[in-house]
Amino acid sequence: MVEHGDIRVVHRGGSKINSREPVVTNDSRFLLCASGERVKVFSTSTEECVHDLRGHTDLVTGVLLRPTNHLQVYSCSVDGTVRLWDFTDGILIKTYDIGYPVYAIYASANHEGVFFIVTPTQSDNRSELFQLVAVHLPQSGDQLVEAQELSAVLSNVSSNPAATGFGRGGEYIASAKGLHLEVYFFKKQKSYRFSLKEDNKKGGKNTLMCIACHPKDDCIATGHEDGKIRLWRNFNHKKEYTYTTLHWHHNAVSSLRFTPEGTNLLSGGLESVLVQWRYNQESERDFLPRLGSAITHIAVSPDGTLFCTSHSDNKITIIQSCVKVSAVIQGLVNGESVRTDLMVDPRSKSLVLNGKPGHLQFYSLQRDKLLYNLDIVQQEYIHELGLQQFEVVKVAFDAPGNWMATVEERKPKAAEPEINLKLWAFDEQTQSFVLNTTVSAPHEAQITSMCFSQAADGQTSMLVSASEDGHFKAWQLPRSACTEDEGPSWSCDFVGDYRGLAPQCCCFSADGSLLAVSFQEVVTVWSPASWELLTTLSQPPKAIRDLCFGRLGCSKYLMGTTASNLLCCWNLLTCSLEWSTSMDVSLLLSDPLTENMAAFCCQAESTDLFVFKPSEPRPVASLKAVCSGKVTRAVFAPREEMLESCEESSQWLNRSQLYFLTQHMDLMTFTTKAEEDRLAASSKQLFIDDSVAMTPFYLLLGKHRKQENQDSLTRLSAELMPLPRGSLAIKELLQSPAHVLPSTSVLCSMFVESLLVSVADGSEESKHAEEEMESEKEEEDSEGEMESRTPRPEPASPGLQSAESAAPALTKAQLKELRRVKKLDHGWLADLLLS
Amino acid sequence: MASFKPTKIQVYPKLGEKVTQDTLYWKNYKAPVQIKEFGAITSIDFSPVAPHNFAVTAFTRIHIYGPFSQEPVKTLTRFKDTAYCGRFRSDGQLLVAGCEDSVVRLFDVSGKAALRMFRGHTKAVHVTDFTSDRYQILTGSDDYTCRLWDIPNATELNSYREHTDYVRCGVTSKLNRDLFITGSYDHTLKLFDARADKSVMTMDHGQPVESLLLYPSEGLLVSAGGRHVKVWDLLKGGQPLVSMKNHHKTVTCLCLSSNGQRLLSASLDRHVKVYNTTNYKVVHNFDYAASILSLALAPNDESIVAGMTNSILSIKHRKSPEESAEVSGQQRRTPSYRVFVKGKNYAPKQDDYLVSKPVKQHLAKYDKQLRTFNVSNSLDTALATWTRLRKPEITVAVIKELDRRGTLKNALAGRDEQWLARLLNFLIGNLVDPRFAAVLAPAAEMILDVYRRVVGQSPLVDRQLLRLQELLEREIDYQQDLLEVLGMLDTLFASSLPRLEVPHPGTSRANGLAQGEAGTSRPQLQAT
């Protein structure tokens, strides 16, 4: 995080939500999960993020509902604090400063005022040993509390939060590490340690992975690396313990959980199948298969109706009692490495990159939300370790977003790689991409680069793919030659090569009239219209790494970077080198909307960014030490609305935004101060302090409902306002036949009076009124003031107040009339009615 | 919970002819009726009036056939020598024909003897036609002349001596009684106006012209000569429009389909090509047993009649709609449309509560077995006799899927002799198929790995293995030969193509210079 001028590098979405177990609130309406430095509160029904609890300054490592107050939640973090939040309002209540990095947090209802944390044994972070520590919460009203009373419970525990758990009623705590299971009894203040052999005869691995304790029974379930689940009983004796083994999983069990009543045991692992075992009838199992990817955590709501599984692809699935997936909360999928470059879909302006295995994800940058996953490979994914799977390795979009090309690759051991090139057409009706053409084995070797022609006419689409087999191929959609029964499909138009060298990069000029293909240190420039080799450019001694044509006013320039740390700019009109400079550019990319180009430059473990125009070798802007490590993936995303920044250093951010992926697969972007302010303002506007999930529908309907509520409240108060005499009078009035009643003019005044005055303070009221009359006479000329006084609160006369609030807009004449009526003596009528 | 994704069956491009509307149209004819004539059939002409009889000129006779008869309804035999070019008048009453003996004879279709004899040519008359006013006859002869004759008086009206070689084709305008076009072996086409003494337009075809055709609009003229078919725009003064060279022998005859959308050309190479008249691309092609000399289409394309050098007349009649429907009905008896939409198009009423039912996913048997990880059973299913023989792509797809899952070895192992023989049989049948080789070769290797130890125990399997080995050896030889041919072709192409020089040979050097130059004043990117 470096500040430079007013341009800042900020995290933009994509933080992991599957790092720790999610927590479901008592009423099953919210789901809390740790996400980077924040705790996110999701609605379980609408999948929307309701709150974002910000405050921690480092990775949040645990979220836990407060046992004594189910509306509050603890979160612990590596920054050495435990924070207490009110998650319905998103307010930080307390901060407990521990002083050591906290890796997990546990609490039990039977241990009031104490929570248990896992911290490194030594104070320095590098230590591999962890201990379980009890923290006694000091009673203090302050916001920031320093927790001093620490007492070690167990030493040498696993830092994995799934490897420790509280037993029945908080009587004992069990922890697993390696091949050992340790149980600590609080009453006896004694711990028992059980060990397993390294390997059994069949070669299975017995390492304990996770643990779950039965809530009603003395039973501990442990999951093992070889897929076995052991149920331990009788563990309060050192020798006479027993265990039974359950085996269904064929890979390591990564998560175990008992349902709150203890009737079922849930387990999950790499197979991405949620298995439900009946407690004491373990032969009966239920399965929920094909959950998408490996299960990393399982959580159960306190009432047992909802199960949540978090998955390795940054996803949380909410399951209704092991039957139906009711909601999926999906974060940005960060694969091990993004094989496809970062891309921006020209239509939805969403970021496109590798998603789930065999899928492409379309991620909205504005809303920080996954739009959809597109299945590219269209094959059943087999969850098995060490299996060679199809991977999407290249994606390209054409300029209007009508066509997408994908390359998928699978490299079986000791066999030729399988490569498929697929072309997808955008379907207006379904608003998604539909497979048009599949080319199996488009090239004999790996495809190194692929790009669409950027011809502005939008008529002819051309795709060029370069491969390590020494050829580059042009694919074209024939315009007319299509048969009636099927639409047009792509076919190969040209195969080009240059002296048997392997092409590395290819790039079309802005108008699509030139194609540059680099063959090691030679750049060849071709004319796509005639497939003629126009010229060659070269800058020995090293191979070309990146190629980029200039845009708009700089379209006559071709930029290239070489492996020998050279950034070159060729002028295509003179076919000569315009300028070159020596820098280690790891990534060069051009902004499609402006002339700017960005070069990420790796120097001494950190990356600098230079933004420049090809026409002049001086940078427009430069940022030092943007992040540590090399940046290899970045993209310019067009902004929805242009910024109006006049400062020269941030002008390049006006039309598009630059996103990049760091070494650790964090998605970052550059923002300016002004933009941040604007964002903050808009987020405040959106904030609604209601417990109901905030959805667009809610924004529409919520206000309306609130208004309605208020309306009904006032109406209710008007109706319920006790009018003992008046109501009786009204009743009488309505029930008596019309011909026995006095004239309406008389009755009307009485009726109004009955609404205005209550019996108890009637005389007082009249006195008040008389006083008011007098004051009115005095101030009759000052009308404005008079009107401002009319709604004056009068605590003694609730009747008047309610009437006035019900009909607030009374003109002066009406008021006068009312007062006149009030002064009339209607006692006779009241007596008449009462008699 | 995502649903199971079924195994992807690779769709292989269909080889052979593409089925288009044209192929369907031109294939929709019955088997040809073949009639032996006395000599090479030089001309066929359909009568323009109702029964649409056609006159077939062969050797010294003209036979007139009815639309469905296989016997001639009429025979005109009063020729001293070979007859040429029997043509009907536009009312179908009269027929004119030339003859080797230079006399042009005019017949009444109902009579036998010639009504008129036009004498004047000195050599064989190959071209005869009526003008559109029906009272004149155009003739063209090997004496290089073409003449106009008056029918009532049997006198010669005019004679044109502009051609310098045999006149072998001619056509009169249907819209203007004075216009006619002739084509000659002197490579030219000439447009004459009877009101003028000279030709008004001359076009050079480049080859001896064999046949001429005017479009119904008469704006375009098609000529055939040599291997070329050329289209001329008469309204633009005889500008050549298109030249087609689709035959590999002389094109002898041209005709137009009834709607004017397709042009047919027949040639000595035994083929008839059908062109689209909008882009002049060949859309269909049919062939005959011998070189075709004449071709005619009945009105509405009811029949195609072709006359050949081996004196066979081939008549193909169009299938009636019932017949073609019957054939397709026999091929597949599908449930009626009603069955498919049963209950699907019911619109719910306003107060109805809609219960949505999950759509059941239909999986093939092998997919069901794959879903439950029954790999051996799925391979069994994919190797079932029908699938293996009729849809080898399914078998191959399942083998590929098993390979992808890394369980192919498990599925192949532990089989008995019969099963192994069946699989080897499948491999022998499909291993060298280029579509399947990439999948089946690793599978074959795996089989050898798995069953290496039991080789030699079963004579059945051993025999199959030997066959497989033989097949592979043959295939390797074959591939080697192909590579040699490819190498030869490459050298041929390389020597035939002009060597393409890079237009800026000095560029790379210039770059080097530029670099040196830039070195002195090299601008440095500096962090601000």
Side-chain angles (χ1 to χ4, degrees), chain B residues 180-245:
Chain B
F180 60 93
I181 305 152
T182 55
S184 152
Y185 275 13
D186 64 359
H187 303 183
T188 58
L189 313 166
K190 284 183 192 287
L191 173 68
F192 293 96
D193 189 341
R195 292 161 291 194
D197 284 341
K198 287 170 76 182
S199 66
V200 291
M201 205 182 282
T202 304
M203 291 152 273
D204 189 11
H205 181 86
Q207 276 89 19
V209 185
E210 295 282 355
S211 179
L212 282 177
L213 182 78
L214 262 179
Y215 268 66
S217 65
E218 307 203 336
L220 295 181
L221 173 73
V222 189
S223 65
R227 292 163 61 194
H228 292 269
V229 175
K230 292 188 177 177
V231 183
W232 311 86
D233 193 343
L234 292 180
L235 301 180
K236 283 191 184 165
Q239 193 182 18
L241 211 62
V242 196
S243 173
M244 295 169 273
K245 191 178 164 190

Side-chain angles (χ1 to χ4, degrees), chain A residues 613-626:
Chain A
K613 286 185 181 166
S615 51
E616 49 183 328
R618 236 155 272 290
V620 176
S622 70
L623 288 164
K624 283 272 187 194
V626 165

